[in-house]
Amino acid sequence: MFLPTLFWLAAVAIAGVHARSSAGDSVLVVVEPEHQAKYSIFFQNIKDRGYELTFRAPQTEEPRLVEFDAPKFSHVVILAPEIKSIAKDIGPQGLVDVLSRGVNLLVALPQKQSPLSAFAAEFSLILPPPNTHLISYFPERNESATIIPVAPSKDHPILTNGITPIWFSGAPHALSTNPYLVPILHAPAQSFAGEPDSPGDVLADAAEKGGEGLWAGSQLGIVTGFQASNNARVTFVGGREVFSDEFAQKEINPGTKSGNTQFVNDIVAWTFQESLVFRVDKVEHRGLNTPISSDKYTVNDNVIFSAYISKYDPQTSTWASYSGIDDLQLEFTMLDPHIRTALLPESETPGKYSVTFRVPDRHGVFKFVINHRRNGMTYLQSSTTVAVVPPRHDEYPRFLSAAWPYYVGAMSTSIGFVLFSALWMARDVREEKKGKTE
Amino acid sequence: MVRLLPISLLFLAAIVQAAKLTLQSPRIVITTAGSSAPLHTAPLSLDNKILSPVTLNHTDTLKLTFQVVDEESGKGVQPHQTFLRFYDAQSGEEGIQPIRVTISGKAKFELVMAKPPSSLPPTTSAPLLVTLLIGTPDYSPLSADLFDLYVLPSQPAPVHPEEASFHPLPEIQHTFRPEQKLPPRPISAFFALAVLAPWTVLLTLWSTYAPRPKHLFSPRIFPFVATLAAFEGLLFWYWVALRLGDVLLYGAILGLVAFFTGKQALGSIASQRLGRK
């Protein structure tokens, strides 16, 4: 009895020290064994952050990603995109399945035809035809046109501020308008997708064909995230070279190392649920003049609704109250929202957001709904059902001035009845009789 | 020393300049449908943008011609990448149009506004910055802002149906039913008095012919009258404060009392009337 408890405590303590992610610290890395050494800096960095790496070759079956119908790993990194035949449990179907169970994925996209192309298409990414590269002749440099320095945007919430440009080599992808996509890095404006040795006419021909003929410009993505509605995250990287030791150590300017290491750390932090992770701790609601919560309100009551929100802090692996969301909204919904109002942070209590409003004069089953979706942030969702009832029979206003005549009428009838009864019974019967006989 | 080596190598490499490209006789010609004479002709410069922006209507056609040549030899070059980039700095929308260049480096591009190419991004009233991008192996890349282009606003870019839920939604206020309106109190008071008016008639008549309540306080009559008054009092109490259950309980008790007091009172009246006393 005592021993298991001790073991449990120890396990919790160790987990508390190590895991930086809010979702768990076991990572499955799918990479060909012969290429493993090419990404040693990347792997060492993840290990240093407290993750446990398990390596697996793409064609082997072991170790399994899902065992006894439960995912064995919290995160999956796929650095072997070019493989034609990939084991079934890490194929597109298997990956979508584990994603829907909350496993986070970091996927390097293929440049050749591979099962992962179909996987990316599931997430509204449109990949260029196989064997195309991102090419840019800008800026003038000694590297080949397919090895491109890319400057991340300055104030991206996922990336460290002031990150140095990174080296990129791989294929771009077009983004659909799907709002679940989180663009992290766009292709440079001067770049385009093509084959390095093709004649110039090919591009003009492709454009004339229309549709997705030409792949060019800064609307293309090269690193793109996707946050599913269950808050699991996927990040697609246009080329696995971004993770390589070679690019991490390559100089972007004479004397300055590239930002690849920092960039990869940033996207790993986002993908593995370290950064921009929020949660609704609890919600409360009560009538304005009643101290305790109720699951029933009368129409036209005034109600206070409060939500407590915290943000995950990867440095200490704890949740801390967070008051920084300024566009939170509360809906009071019966089929349609009847009221939608801002849920503003309270200055006295950190992490508390509250609002007071008057319950609509419609009775029925209502819900307090928070559905806060912002690009890149954990979706905050909460729904609490309450009943809104009409006033009870004795809760309506009474002694209305408009009813005075009715009150007076009823009372004078009563008084008249008592008076008449008293007079009739108290009269002298014999006097009457006498009068009659006379 | 070892650390410095690659830097100096890079430095040396950077000094080695690649060959340069330039454009020969770049110009734009704007024509409009129905007339062969050009509306506007302007030479372009790689160094500076044309100061006056170019405005196109639905019927206009913009024709851009140039020849890509090697700066030193003057020979025509067919570059790998010859793009015209339209960029709206306000909305961030961008469109890229590749330009067909012949082997001798001659290029011609027509922008027919009656049938705008799909590469033209969705436009607003803001201008599009038109940039020429030329890149090819073994040459320095060439990027030149040519001119600002004003075109008529187009349809906005399509928006995903769920896009709205990723932004703050418009606030919704509930429209409450108006408060119930009560007539002015003096009017209610007037009608209450009107209801009381028959009492004046009753009291006047009673004062002229007043049957004396002779036996009111006799021990046979009074308990029943008091019970009836208590019934009326109970109903009043019900209106003000009591619940139905209480009323039924108290009413039952009073009813029992009324049964006996009533039997006694009415019995006594009957015996009086029949003259048994």
Side-chain angles (χ1 to χ4, degrees), chain B residues 18-62:
Chain B
K20 282 195 172 165
L21 290 171
T22 190
L23 298 190
Q24 211 165 53
S25 58
R27 59 169 55 243
I28 50 169
V29 178
I30 300 170
T31 53
T32 190
S35 77
S36 54
L39 279 179
H40 180 69
T41 309
L44 296 172
S45 152
L46 288 184
D47 302 325
N48 301 318
K49 203 158 77 162
I50 297 187
L51 285 179
S52 59
V54 178
T55 308
L56 291 182
N57 274 325
H58 277 313
T59 51
D60 295 348
T61 300
L62 176 115

Side-chain angles (χ1 to χ4, degrees), chain A residues 135 137-140 142 177-180 189-192 195-196 198-201 203-205 207-208 214 216-219 251 254-255 300 327 329 331 337-342 358-362 373-375 379 394 398-402 404-405 407-409 411-412 414-419 421-431 433, chain B residues 6-7 10 13-14 18 78-81 83 85 92-94 96 98-101 133-137 140-143 158-160 162-163 165-177 179 182-183 185 188-189 191-192 195-196 199 206 211-216 221 224-225 228-229 232 236 239-240 243 265-266 269 272-275 277:
Chain A
I135 300 173
Y137 295 104
F138 299 82
E140 189 173 9
N142 294 310
T177 55
N178 191 334
Y180 290 84
Q190 300 90 349
S191 65
F192 60 99
E195 287 168 53
S198 64
D201 282 355
L203 295 170
D205 288 343
E208 274 165 25
L214 179 76
S218 63
Q219 305 280 328
E251 285 169 336
N300 291 331
D327 54 359
Q329 287 184 316
E331 286 178 358
H338 281 55
I339 288 175
R340 188 187 291 131
T341 178
R358 187 175 159 202
V359 172
D361 49 3
R362 291 280 304 276
R373 292 159 180 261
R374 296 294 177 266
N375 209 266
Y379 308 133
D394 55 354
R398 305 191 58 189
F399 313 117
L400 303 170
S401 70
W404 285 348
Y407 303 152
V408 169
M411 280 186 268
S412 52
S414 293
I415 293 168
F417 169 67
V418 175
L419 210 59
S421 310
L423 280 179
W424 185 78
M425 283 186 288
R427 79 195 192 284
D428 200 339
V429 183
R430 272 176 294 185
E431 268 175 33
K433 264 194 134 179
Chain B
I7 302 170
L10 255 169
Q78 185 188 29
H80 185 204
Q81 174 194 20
F83 286 173
R85 174 176 185 246
E93 294 282 353
E94 181 195 65
I96 304 259
I99 297 176
R100 196 179 289 277
V101 183
L133 302 169
I134 298 178
T136 199
S140 301
L142 186 72
S143 163
V159 174
H160 194 274
E162 277 190 77
E163 182 69 38
S165 67
F166 279 72
H167 302 279
L169 294 165
E171 298 235 322
I172 298 175
Q173 305 277 337
H174 183 74
T175 315
F176 287 89
R177 256 174 262 135
E179 284 289 324
L182 294 179
R185 279 158 181 256
S188 305
F191 281 101
V195 170
L196 286 177
W199 279 100
W206 194 9
R212 301 265 159 249
K214 220 169 149 187
H215 305 290
L216 182 60
I221 304 295
F224 186 51
V225 175
L228 287 182
E232 297 304 329
F236 184 83
W239 178 53
V240 175
R243 293 277 166 91
L266 295 178
I269 293 170
Q272 270 182 18
R273 198 175 62 232
L274 297 175
K277 201 175 174 186

